[in-house]
Amino acid sequence: MWPDLIAKSKEGGADVIQTYVFWNGHEPVRQQYNFEGRYDIVKFVKLVGSSGLYLHLRIGPYVCAEWNFGGFPVWLRDIPGIEFRTDNAPFKDEMQRFVKKIVDLMQKEMLFSWQGGPIIMLQIENEYGNVESSFGQRGKDYVKWAARMALELDAGVPWVMCQQADAPDIIINACNGFYCDGFWPNSANKPKLWTEDWNGWFASWGGRTPKRPVEDIAFAVARFFQRGGSFHNYYMYFGGTNFGRSSGGPFYITSYDYDAPIDEYGLLSQPKWGHLKELHAAIKLCEPALVAVDSPQYIKLGPMQEAHVYRVKESLYSTQSGNGSSCSAFLANIDEHKTASVTFLGQVYKLPPWSVSILPDCRTTVFNTAKVGAQTSIKTVEFDLPLFRNISVSQPLMVQNKISYVPRTWMTLKEPISVWSKNNFTIQGVLEHLNVTKDHSDYLWRITRINVSAEDISFWEENQVSPTLSIDSMRDILRIFVNGQLIGSVIGHWVKVVQPIQLLQGYNDLVLLSQTVGLQNYGAFLEKDGAGFKGQVKLTGFKNGEIDLSEYSWTYQVGLRGEFQKIYTIDESEKAEWTDLTPGASPSTFTWYKTFFDAPNGENPVALDLGSMGKGQAWVNGHHIGRYWTRVAPKDGCGKCDYRGHYHTSKCATNCGNPTQIWYHIPRSWLQASNNLLVLFEETGGNPFEISVKSRSTQTICAEVSESHYPSLQNWSHSDFIDQNSKNKMTPEMHLHCDDGHTISSIEFASYGTPRGSCQMFSQGQCHAPNSLALVSKACQGKGSCVIRILNSAFGGDPCRGFVKTLAVEAKCAPSSTTSSSQL
Ligand code: GAL
């Protein structure tokens, strides 16, 4: 996916790609490095370079990032005497070794800018300032050490520390947040950098899906450059998928879509991508003035309105920039509610609430952050055909050449609820989870035996009580099995467990399965965090009182049998003893499922719909596509979304009352045309017959542009601001575009006049140019993209004098090959 993602970023106006380096991905075993496949960072950096973009490499090596353990390899915990992220010799040794490894690798591959490569900046640590006070003086010493250590690596490009107000002199401290215009670096000699503009947010299992309106993001970015910003990075511009068990936590979902301008599947999120592209173009039109002036001139325009002006002295301007504007300005209205009329250099400007207008020549508004002219795209994850239903060829669903989604049959295999390998061991006491699993699996089986006397049984019967399993504190999931039956589950982050259980006279098998769902990735003292149980683990309510289970002998078994036998790989799956699954079989817990499926035709990204399942993990052709879980988001909290005012992560959330994630991305590069092996491990029970493979694409696009909108940013150049005549000739335009490989198959709605409603609900207003549909169809149908000028003459004259006319269009996109390749 990398070349396409990089190309889409460049087209969106990015100059620099920023990426973290994931230590635990690159060094899964101490001193055994992995720079292959998805971890081939050299290849990635080279691709960025060859596409003409720069790169900011955030080495960390602590990175946070909703990534397992914040990027730390779990083996780091086992180094004697280690304390993370503080003045601790064992930690500093390991950190230095890894950072040096990466810097040396980049240098060897000639990837720094002074070597002709794309890397212009590095990062050491990550938001350490947020936790520094927890470490006292040793924290302060660590910051100084980290800075010195980084510099001594002689990378020859600047280093940043984000959220680090006390960053030493030679390191640039940078801002992370939803807004950073009010941030100032800790020295006037440092540029104002914004390393993370959170243009969306991540989601947790059972949480709502965060969305940040593009008008507010554009406002935040424009404000940053208005107030002297020099480098800004979207976090995330593309977030993608946390495949395997790389999602952090606790409880972060597999998708890292982040509501980013490029969605999880690599498709553009519109209007986000398009509106920000215009913003970038507008800011770049101001470039000659922006780069020539150290700080802008501030002009108060009203109680909540202000201008910042970048004005180059004529002489300076003519020698430095040659062709361009000598004056650029940003006009802001910070009022959350009202439009403001302001006078700036003798002209009146209307500023919508919570918006910034950009004037590259201090006169002409080329962009306003709150006015979105970019197209909206509505994506469908289509073809609701379960993998396994008998569909006769005559059914209409088959017509569109989608027969390929149907595999043959499902096979099943039970996971043993007991020890399954010689690797088990027995010891007295309750062990900490990660000390045993080393995070090689989410799962730790803990098995013991409870002897129940006849007196206990009669005690329970007489008092009508049952014994209770009680654990002081537990994370993330506990499954409790008594005599082979799953009798309870507890989910939470360090929560108390009180679970009544039924025991029989004599020996009872008690199995406690502790699970992690992504290791903690944020905060101080991660090495001490651990998982599993804390405090007392006991059974209460016996005749003689309590049983302290830490005095018992426990047998420990790490992981699932199927997981360690790798029955999800093509070779090993054949050796396992699968049996046929009959349709209608009742849901079964702790069960493996396998099938084969054909890839959907065409090039669209592929999604696996696991909405019928419970919780588990999935693999395709041996690739771990991630954890899945149909945990449902709260019903409430998804109200109307107003872009105005400060954003916070619960504002504008969507998907209330639905599972947080049901679609799981299967990259095309992991698929072959047919016979793809799909293996699932299911914990709580689901119906595999309802699983389907779908293809994701943008099927509907809409746009609305009025004749008062600014002309298309693509048509401006610096010289236009000198030649006033060419400026007058420019008209607003509507740009429509289907995903690559798709064309506009039909225009569903078009009205030039005073149309009403919004995408998929447009209707004609009182004023309507009768030839709207015909004209738009002629310009767009059958094309991958088209441009329509918003001008009376383009629609056969003014349909209603005295009104501001708007063109609203809704179009359908379809694969370019649909008509030529329909075989059915
Ligand atoms: C920041 C952190 C990032 C990421 C982000 C939230 O604090 O630096 O790595 O975790 O929060 O998505």
Side-chain angles (χ1 to χ4, degrees):
M1 294 175 75
W2 291 345
D4 182 52
L5 295 170
I6 295 167
K8 284 174 173 155
S9 308
K10 186 175 182 181
E11 209 194 321
D15 307 305
V16 187
I17 303 263
Q18 188 185 71
T19 184
Y20 275 135
V21 178
F22 296 103
W23 188 358
N24 51 13
H26 293 297
E27 199 178 346
V29 178
R30 189 162 180 264
Q31 309 234 6
Q32 287 180 27
Y33 296 99
N34 173 19
F35 291 103
E36 303 292 312
R38 282 192 287 138
Y39 289 99
D40 189 346
I41 192 161
V42 168
K43 180 174 181 181
F44 181 76
V45 176
K46 286 184 175 167
L47 278 171
V48 170
S50 62
S51 71
L53 298 182
Y54 295 115
L55 190 119
H56 178 202
L57 194 64
R58 305 174 82 196
I59 303 179
Y62 166 73
V63 296
C64 195
E66 291 68 72
W67 186 268
N68 199 42
F69 216 34
F72 284 138
V74 175
W75 53 255
L76 210 58
R77 301 169 80 246
D78 293 334
I79 290 177
I82 201 157
E83 291 170 276
F84 294 1
R85 305 176 77 198
T86 187
D87 186 17
N88 166 273
F91 177 76
K92 292 193 295 184
D93 287 350
E94 294 302 311
M95 170 163 165
Q96 178 165 8
R97 188 173 50 76
F98 182 72
V99 176
K100 182 169 170 12
K101 174 97 191 168
I102 298 296
V103 169
D104 289 351
L105 178 64
M106 296 300 131
Q107 187 161 342
K108 187 183 109 223
E109 299 283 345
M110 310 285 285
L111 296 175
F112 288 111
S113 52
W114 53 271
Q115 301 175 295
I119 303 175
I120 52 167
M121 216 158 47
L122 297 165
Q123 178 178 302
I124 192 77
E125 250 296 341
N126 190 79
E127 296 194 332
Y128 188 71
N130 295 2
V131 296
E132 188 170 339
S133 61
S134 315
F135 296 96
Q137 184 56 39
R138 293 172 70 211
K140 294 185 180 147
D141 294 344
Y142 168 68
V143 173
K144 291 196 192 104
W145 167 82
R148 206 177 336 107
M149 183 273 285
L151 288 167
E152 280 167 7
L153 296 175
D154 259 338
V157 296
W159 288 84
V160 304
M161 284 182 167
C162 57
Q163 302 287 77
Q164 193 68 58
D166 62 351
D169 241 10
I170 198 102
I171 303 270
I172 306 165
N173 64 314
C175 181
N176 293 346
F178 291 111
Y179 307 89
C180 280
D181 53 292
F183 161 87
W184 303 104
N186 62 12
S187 145
N189 296 326
K190 298 181 186 181
K192 176 168 170 173
L193 310 186
W194 188 354
T195 27
E196 294 179 22
D197 172 356
W198 302 322
N199 54 356
W201 199 244
F202 55 90
S204 301
W205 300 113
R208 304 172 187 92
T209 305
K211 296 271 173 221
R212 184 173 176 200
V214 70
E215 295 93 330
D216 176 57
I217 304 167
F219 172 75
V221 177
R223 289 288 289 156
F224 181 70
F225 286 99
Q226 170 164 18
R227 300 180 70 193
S230 63
F231 172 96
H232 156 272
N233 175 70
Y234 293 104
Y235 188 102
M236 295 272 121
Y237 196 74
F238 168 72
T241 312
N242 287 337
F243 295 110
R245 300 188 308 111
S246 64
S247 239
F251 299 121
Y252 299 150
I253 65 170
T254 293
S255 167
Y256 202 58
D257 182 271
Y258 220 88
D259 194 27
I262 303 178
D263 79 7
E264 177 180 8
Y265 295 81
L267 301 177
L268 301 184
S269 262
Q270 293 282 39
K272 209 168 237 195
W273 183 88
H275 190 56
L276 295 177
K277 175 180 173 156
E278 295 192 3
L279 165 71
H280 305 150
I283 293 170
K284 283 177 187 176
L285 285 174
C286 305
E287 187 172 334
L290 288 180
V291 299
V293 176
D294 269 344
S295 48
Q297 179 199 355
Y298 168 83
I299 303 175
K300 195 170 168 68
L301 300 175
M304 299 183 86
Q305 292 76 31
E306 60 186 26
H308 287 75
V309 185
Y310 292 82
R311 193 192 304 273
V312 189
K313 286 194 202 86
E314 273 327 302
S315 58
L316 192 67
Y317 156 64
S318 50
T319 51
Q320 282 213 335
S321 39
N323 199 2
S325 171
S326 59
C327 180
S328 293
F330 294 75
L331 313 187
N333 178 13
I334 306 154
D335 192 317
E336 295 178 21
H337 307 289
K338 286 189 282 290
T339 298
S341 268
V342 296
T343 307
F344 172 68
L345 301 181
Q347 278 208 75
V348 176
Y349 295 85
K350 263 199 155 177
L351 305 175
W354 200 251
S355 81
V356 176
S357 281
I358 300 181
L359 286 55
D361 59 353
C362 285
R363 285 179 66 87
T364 321
T365 302
V366 300
F367 183 83
N368 176 277
T369 56
K371 291 189 178 165
V372 179
Q375 75 177 38
T376 299
S377 53
I378 301 197
K379 279 168 214 152
T380 33
V381 179
E382 66 153 357
F383 204 55
D384 221 344
L385 178 62
L387 292 180
F388 194 75
R389 214 173 259 167
N390 289 330
I391 290 182
S392 74
V393 182
S394 62
Q395 275 187 302
L397 273 177
M398 307 296 286
V399 176
Q400 289 180 1
N401 202 10
K402 279 164 189 156
I403 192 165
S404 55
Y405 298 59
V406 189
R408 291 135 213 150
T409 169
W410 281 99
M411 315 275 281
T412 180
L413 178 64
K414 277 301 264 184
E415 175 68 25
I417 310 294
S418 63
V419 294
W420 51 263
S421 86
K422 291 198 206 82
N423 272 336
N424 74 78
F425 63 92
T426 303
I427 197 171
Q428 191 203 337
V430 175
L431 301 181
E432 189 276 317
H433 182 105
L434 290 178
N435 282 344
V436 186
T437 64
K438 310 290 180 198
D439 200 36
H440 290 142
S441 167
D442 282 358
Y443 305 94
L444 177 60
W445 300 95
R446 306 153 179 267
I447 303 160
T448 195
R449 261 193 171 183
I450 313 291
N451 194 3
V452 171
S453 65
E455 290 82 56
D456 284 321
I457 300 279
S458 38
F459 173 75
W460 295 330
E461 280 172 3
E462 278 160 27
N463 297 289
Q464 298 220 317
V465 291
S466 56
T468 297
L469 169 72
S470 151
I471 303 175
D472 282 350
S473 186
M474 181 270 342
R475 73 166 282 191
D476 299 326
I477 297 186
L478 168 64
R479 308 247 184 240
I480 305 158
F481 301 83
V482 175
N483 297 323
Q485 295 303 310
L486 176 63
I487 59 123
S489 297
V490 185
I491 301 169
H493 187 56
W494 299 126
V495 291
K496 195 168 167 57
V497 178
V498 183
Q499 170 75 44
I501 57 178
Q502 301 281 320
L503 297 171
L504 308 171
Q505 190 179 334
Y507 281 108
N508 291 265
D509 287 325
L510 174 65
V511 176
L512 302 183
L513 175 68
S514 58
Q515 299 179 26
T516 50
V517 188
L519 302 190
Q520 185 78 26
N521 59 264
Y522 181 78
F525 314 122
L526 286 185
E527 75 281 13
K528 299 194 179 66
D529 208 45
F533 310 146
K534 268 188 200 166
Q536 284 203 313
V537 179
K538 58 191 182 182
L539 290 174
T540 60
F542 280 73
K543 180 146 193 282
N544 298 330
E546 296 177 358
I547 296 179
D548 181 357
L549 289 174
S550 66
E551 284 167 11
Y552 269 53
S553 243
W554 288 86
T555 298
Y556 290 87
Q557 169 82 63
V558 175
L560 307 170
R561 183 179 66 184
E563 191 181 16
F564 279 76
Q565 292 180 348
K566 294 196 163 56
I567 63 170
Y568 49 82
T569 62
I570 293 156
D571 289 348
E572 299 304 320
S573 88
E574 281 171 17
K575 299 182 196 150
E577 289 171 10
W578 302 92
T579 56
D580 285 343
L581 181 68
T582 36
S586 49
S588 159
T589 61
F590 287 81
T591 304
W592 292 83
Y593 295 106
K594 115 171 172 175
T595 192
F596 291 91
F597 67 96
D598 294 346
N601 290 334
E603 299 295 315
N604 288 344
V606 178
L608 186 64
D609 185 340
L610 295 176
S612 65
M613 301 304 286
K615 179 186 178 292
Q617 297 180 34
W619 291 261
V620 171
N621 295 332
H623 297 282
H624 195 163
I625 68 165
R627 297 187 186 96
Y628 69 82
W629 197 355
T630 25
R631 214 171 176 212
V632 175
K635 283 212 175 66
D636 60 322
C638 291
K640 249 188 103 206
C641 174
D642 188 337
Y643 79 89
R644 296 174 296 178
H646 276 96
Y647 178 75
H648 49 86
T649 56
S650 46
K651 189 179 167 185
C652 294
T654 60
N655 209 30
C656 285
N658 298 319
T660 311
Q661 186 173 1
I662 57 169
W663 295 316
Y664 295 84
H665 181 203
I666 312 175
R668 277 275 176 192
S669 56
W670 290 352
L671 289 173
Q672 57 212 22
S674 57
N675 270 320
N676 295 288
L677 172 65
L678 169 62
V679 174
L680 306 177
F681 172 66
E682 169 60 49
E683 292 168 25
T684 59
N687 181 5
F689 291 100
E690 294 284 324
I691 291 174
S692 58
V693 176
K694 293 181 174 173
S695 95
R696 181 176 169 97
S697 64
T698 305
Q699 291 200 339
T700 299
I701 56 177
C702 293
E704 238 187 307
V705 179
S706 92
E707 56 178 349
S708 68
H709 200 70
Y710 36 79
S712 172
L713 262 302
Q714 297 175 23
N715 297 342
W716 291 111
S717 70
H718 293 295
S719 55
D720 295 322
F721 298 103
I722 298 168
D723 172 7
Q724 293 294 325
N725 285 335
S726 71
K727 221 159 57 180
N728 297 336
K729 279 186 249 141
M730 294 172 84
T731 48
E733 289 172 353
M734 175 180 285
H735 289 244
L736 295 173
H737 180 76
C738 296
D739 293 342
D740 294 342
H742 293 66
T743 44
I744 296 171
S745 55
S746 62
I747 303 296
E748 303 288 302
F749 178 90
S751 175
Y752 178 70
T754 53
R756 288 189 289 243
S758 56
C759 188
Q760 293 186 307
M761 286 183 307
F762 284 130
S763 62
Q764 283 175 21
Q766 284 195 333
C767 166
H768 168 74
N771 55 3
S772 305
L773 187 66
L775 286 169
V776 175
S777 300
K778 185 159 173 261
C780 297
Q781 212 161 312
K783 299 191 178 141
S785 60
C786 60
V787 181
I788 304 146
R789 302 179 72 203
I790 313 300
L791 195 66
N792 287 332
S793 60
F795 290 89
D798 191 342
C800 47
R801 262 166 226 273
F803 287 88
V804 178
K805 268 76 63 187
T806 295
L807 174 64
V809 175
E810 177 181 330
K812 287 257 172 271
C813 293
S816 318
S817 52
T818 313
T819 37
S820 52
S821 75
S822 65
Q823 300 155 359
L824 296 165

